[in-house]
Amino acid sequence: MLKIGDHLPEFKGTNQDGKTIASSELIGKKLVVFFYPQANTPTCTVEACNLSDHYSELEKAGYTLLGISADSVKKQKNFHSKFAFPYDLIADENHDIVEKFGVWQEKNNFGKTYMGIVRTTFIFDEKGICVRVIDKVTSKTAAAQILEG
């Protein structure tokens, strides 16, 4: 998994509107990249909505937000439209980005082992250096966890 001091990995992803977003475009901004397991599921919705509800505070603190999951562009579009999120959601169906960040891992749920995204938030400075990793994300207070750093 990406650690504090690591550089923002190079990637290109497709957002909810089919637009390509490259990590190189994000250098020069304080960046929050949050990974969530699946669009429109209860816990992921709580997290994404909490970030949306506190977006102005995050923006005031200088942050740009980017959400990433392994969902399709269509699913991301539906999720984005349904809740009118003020930030982009990236569809990473091929797991390229999640693997570069190290969040595509073996998970265990109710005795079943499978590969999936581990809910994690990475915070980068304007130079693209990781300054914080939140690996115990609390969905209901995700924005507060970012702002308390």
Side-chain angles (χ1 to χ4, degrees):
M1 187 179 297
L2 214 66
K3 301 179 297 303
I4 292 172
D6 288 346
H7 203 273
L8 178 67
E10 283 189 31
F11 66 83
K12 283 185 180 169
T14 306
N15 77 354
Q16 70 282 345
D17 298 320
K19 179 182 175 243
T20 299
I21 294 180
S23 57
S24 58
E25 300 167 20
L26 305 168
I27 302 292
K29 304 169 184 175
K30 282 171 42 177
L31 177 66
V32 173
V33 181
F34 68 98
F35 289 90
Y36 56 97
Q38 194 173 354
N40 274 315
T41 54
T43 306
C44 295
T45 300
V46 167
E47 177 185 11
C49 286
N50 177 266
L51 293 171
S52 184
D53 292 346
H54 296 278
Y55 185 73
S56 61
E57 295 161 62
L58 291 161
E59 206 175 31
K60 212 176 281 176
Y63 293 114
T64 295
L65 269 67
L66 187 63
I68 302 176
S69 74
D71 293 300
S72 66
V73 172
K74 185 178 177 184
K75 280 187 174 180
Q76 296 290 39
K77 175 76 173 167
N78 175 283
F79 191 37
H80 194 273
S81 298
K82 185 175 180 181
F83 296 99
F85 295 133
Y87 48 78
D88 284 318
L89 299 178
I90 298 287
D92 186 26
E93 291 181 272
N94 298 326
H95 310 145
D96 295 337
I97 303 168
V98 295
E99 287 188 14
K100 284 182 179 186
F101 278 79
V103 296
W104 185 254
Q105 297 177 13
E106 189 174 279
K107 297 172 83 174
N108 199 323
N109 201 10
F110 300 112
K112 283 187 174 178
T113 302
Y114 61 97
M115 294 300 288
I117 293 175
V118 176
R119 185 182 317 280
T120 312
T121 299
F122 297 90
I123 302 172
F124 296 89
D125 67 13
E126 295 86 348
K127 293 177 184 160
I129 304 298
C130 183
V131 293
R132 256 179 88 213
V133 177
I134 303 170
D135 56 2
K136 302 242 184 301
V137 176
T138 306
S139 297
K140 290 178 185 168
T141 59
Q145 283 183 294
I146 294 164
L147 291 167
E148 73 190 14

